[in-house]
Amino acid sequence: MSPALLFCILIGYFGLLMAVAWATGRNANNDSFFIGNKSSNWMLVAFGMVGTTLSGATFISVPGAVGNDGFGYGQILIGYVIGYIAVAYILLPLYYRLKLTSIYHYLDVRLGRRAYQSGAGFFILSRLLGATARLYLVVNILQALILDSLGVPFWLTTFVVLGMILMYTYQGGVKTIVWTDTLQTTCMLAGLFFCVGFMLSELNLSIPESLARMHEQGLSRVFTFDADSPNFWLKQIVAGAFIVVTMTGMDQEMMQKTISVKTVGDSQKNLLSLTAVLVVVLSAFLFLGGLLYLYAPIVGVTATGDKIFPAVVMGHLPATVQIIFLVALISALFPSADGAITALTSTFCIDILGIQRRNDLSEEAKVRLRRHVHLGFAFLFLALVLVFKWADNPSMIGVILKLASYTYGPLLGLFAFGMLTRRTLNDRLVPFVTIGAPILCGLLEANQKYLLGNYRLGLELLIVNGILVFAGLFAISQREKAGSAAVTA
């Protein structure tokens, strides 16, 4: 298919997003931008969050990883279900009871200003790295499919994509994103299930027949029983639960949309509905990965990992499938960045700059400040995507989860300490604890061969990181004084 035609499809899709943004962002203010005026429909939020949760990394990397790991991602998926239930019934009631705009304000109320700013700072770092890694993956594929042949350099592609995202989130923020993410999730899931159906047709197999073929080739293995392996089933399930607790329940981007729903009951429905949909969708992604690895040898495709899905579709399937794949890929691209830029802007303005406490600023000045911060994060995204391009890792899903182990561990430790103890902290020492724990984790991972023998650390490094932070906070804490009040779950 002509790259010029594919480029026109990209522009047309963006025009549709802009129309939605114009319709939803009129007369928006900071309250609309940060939490959607607390009036978002829980069904729209739940459906739109599927796209944000999955992103381009899931769309490309989960099917690609089947070649090496089989259906091993299913172990993490089991943990996800446990994690979402914990977020719905432990964290959400706390956030609603405190009427939070930023979830990190809980740390301020419970532990102190340095803990609050440390939590917000680690969220900013986590979301910057994770969202730009996801964005890089999809932009890199668009570059290879369309823009290299048109002579457009990678940096310019990234700049234009970020400009598009900035344009449709600049005014409406969360109020707009709830609707655009719904549109994008619809397109992404339609593309996923269409590709599954088409691949089954091309292979002339039913679902049971294809699963039997995958089993014969070792592609459908789910559980790893080697306790020393990073993919050991128990480690993966426990890590999956904590990944959701931290990357959803302690993540301002995800919670910003969830707490934009009016009541805690509807917000819980949102998360539980999201969980059910994710189980089906992620299972479909794994199944698609198996189909791709069955089909690739037939047409002579030798690509693996992140490259197999685009190689099969763009090199060997009809133009209609290519268009559907492209629209689905673009739909996976935008939710991974639009919500991140909006949430980072919210966290920096509310938690770092204290914009809501600034009585010296008029409402117009606060809006201008928020827009400047928004623009600044867009340029940070550009710089980090270029860094990932330079690094060029073949499987970005692994990179994203590894980064999360280091950057979300301090959030896990901070929230756990606040909710599980009634002790007070020496607040000025908190940053040393939250920075020191990831450094210790890095040293542990680098020397695990000598310290742990045959045992290899996997995603449980997130839990180790959180435990180190919890222990450090306990060491700099004291019993709560009589008569003082602590905010706990």
Side-chain angles (χ1 to χ4, degrees):
M1 179 176 291
S2 163
L5 177 58
L6 295 175
F7 182 74
C8 290
I9 293 169
L10 173 62
I11 297 301
Y13 183 86
F14 173 68
L16 180 59
L17 287 181
M18 286 301 298
V20 174
W22 177 82
T24 58
R26 289 175 295 173
N27 303 317
N29 54 23
N30 274 353
D31 195 38
S32 308
F33 187 95
F34 293 142
I35 54 172
N37 301 114
K38 282 280 187 182
S39 60
S40 301
N41 183 285
W42 73 265
M43 289 182 286
L44 288 178
V45 172
F47 190 68
M49 281 178 66
V50 173
T52 306
T53 303
L54 297 178
S55 79
T58 305
F59 194 80
I60 296 298
S61 285
V62 170
V66 170
N68 285 330
D69 302 331
F71 290 175
Y73 195 81
Q75 299 175 128
I76 300 176
L77 180 56
I78 295 170
Y80 285 176
V81 174
I82 298 170
Y84 278 113
I85 293 171
V87 172
Y89 290 102
I90 297 174
L91 292 178
L92 280 183
L94 174 65
Y95 298 156
Y96 272 84
R97 189 170 75 247
L98 295 177
K99 299 179 180 179
L100 301 179
T101 299
S102 166
I103 62 173
Y104 306 117
H105 184 61
Y106 165 74
L107 298 176
D108 190 13
V109 174
R110 170 63 185 89
L111 300 177
R113 182 51 54 91
R114 298 289 177 85
Y116 169 41
Q117 292 177 334
S118 295
F122 270 98
F123 162 72
I124 290 171
L125 178 62
S126 302
R127 186 48 67 181
L128 266 176
L129 294 174
T132 50
R134 294 178 178 93
L135 182 63
Y136 156 72
L137 173 63
V138 182
V139 171
N140 199 41
I141 293 171
L142 290 176
Q143 184 72 26
L145 294 180
I146 303 174
L147 296 156
D148 277 341
S149 60
L150 299 177
V152 179
F154 179 85
W155 70 266
L156 183 57
T157 301
T158 308
F159 182 83
V160 170
V161 166
L162 285 169
M164 291 177 174
I165 293 168
L166 194 66
M167 287 173 66
Y168 78 80
T169 60
Y170 198 62
Q171 180 68 24
V174 169
K175 187 176 179 181
T176 292
I177 286 171
V178 166
W179 287 95
T180 55
D181 279 2
T182 299
L183 169 66
Q184 291 166 151
T185 299
T186 301
C187 293
M188 181 172 65
L189 297 187
L192 164 65
F193 289 109
F194 182 89
C195 287
V196 167
F198 187 87
M199 294 298 299
L200 284 171
S201 175
E202 286 290 290
L203 290 165
N204 195 28
L205 295 172
S206 66
I207 292 176
E209 289 170 342
S210 61
L211 287 171
R213 187 79 61 84
M214 292 175 203
H215 179 72
E216 291 171 4
Q217 298 189 19
L219 296 172
S220 62
R221 174 183 52 81
V222 176
F223 294 101
T224 297
F225 296 102
D226 179 5
D228 290 332
S229 170
N231 296 325
F232 178 53
W233 68 271
L234 183 58
K235 291 196 291 186
Q236 294 286 86
I237 291 173
V238 173
F242 278 94
I243 284 170
V244 166
V245 169
T246 53
M247 294 182 71
T248 298
M250 299 174 187
D251 183 289
Q252 176 67 13
E253 177 184 354
M254 300 301 291
M255 288 294 99
Q256 183 173 355
K257 298 172 187 176
T258 305
I259 62 177
S260 72
V261 177
K262 185 172 292 185
T263 69
V264 65
D266 282 349
S267 188
Q268 289 168 331
K269 291 178 192 175
N270 158 33
L271 271 193
L272 296 179
S273 301
L274 169 66
T275 304
V277 173
L278 279 179
V279 169
V280 174
V281 172
L282 286 171
S283 299
F285 272 114
L286 289 171
F287 182 64
L288 175 61
L291 294 175
L292 289 169
Y293 279 98
L294 292 179
Y295 186 76
I298 297 174
V299 294
V301 171
T302 58
T304 59
D306 291 350
K307 296 181 180 179
I308 187 171
F309 195 4
V312 168
V313 172
M314 303 308 293
H316 301 277
L317 298 185
T320 302
V321 182
Q322 293 179 13
I323 292 173
I324 292 171
F325 170 80
L326 179 65
V327 171
L329 183 65
I330 297 167
S331 300
L333 181 156
F334 285 110
S336 66
D338 58 11
I341 291 178
T342 302
L344 287 166
T345 300
S346 299
T347 297
F348 194 83
C349 288
I350 296 170
D351 301 321
I352 305 301
L353 299 180
I355 193 171
Q356 293 183 321
R357 301 188 301 270
R358 295 284 299 276
N359 296 324
D360 58 314
L361 296 177
S362 65
E363 285 304 313
E364 292 78 8
K366 290 179 180 179
V367 170
R368 284 196 302 271
L369 178 59
R370 182 255 294 169
R371 288 176 175 172
H372 291 154
V373 172
H374 199 179
L375 185 62
F377 274 114
F379 279 104
L380 265 178
F381 266 57
L382 174 62
L384 286 171
V385 169
L386 295 179
V387 170
F388 281 113
K389 175 65 173 176
W390 171 76
D392 195 27
N393 190 281
S395 181
M396 291 306 297
I397 193 73
V399 171
I400 291 164
L401 292 176
K402 176 64 71 176
L403 289 172
S405 296
Y406 283 93
T407 57
Y408 280 94
L411 284 171
L412 177 61
L414 284 165
F415 274 89
F417 187 86
M419 297 173 71
L420 299 178
T421 78
R422 297 185 66 85
R423 298 173 70 88
T424 58
L425 291 173
N426 184 339
D427 194 43
R428 64 185 179 84
L429 296 179
V430 170
F432 296 99
V433 172
T434 55
I435 294 170
I439 293 173
L440 288 176
C441 285
L443 294 173
L444 175 61
E445 186 175 26
N447 296 282
Q448 60 182 312
K449 180 179 178 181
Y450 307 103
L451 298 174
L452 304 176
N454 293 327
Y455 185 89
R456 288 294 174 267
L457 289 165
L459 297 179
E460 74 273 21
L461 193 64
L462 168 67
I463 303 169
V464 173
N465 197 350
I467 291 172
L468 288 174
V469 171
F470 188 99
L473 295 176
F474 193 89
I476 62 169
S477 69
Q478 59 186 356
R479 288 176 181 269
E480 181 187 0
K481 294 179 180 179
S484 63
V487 178
T488 64

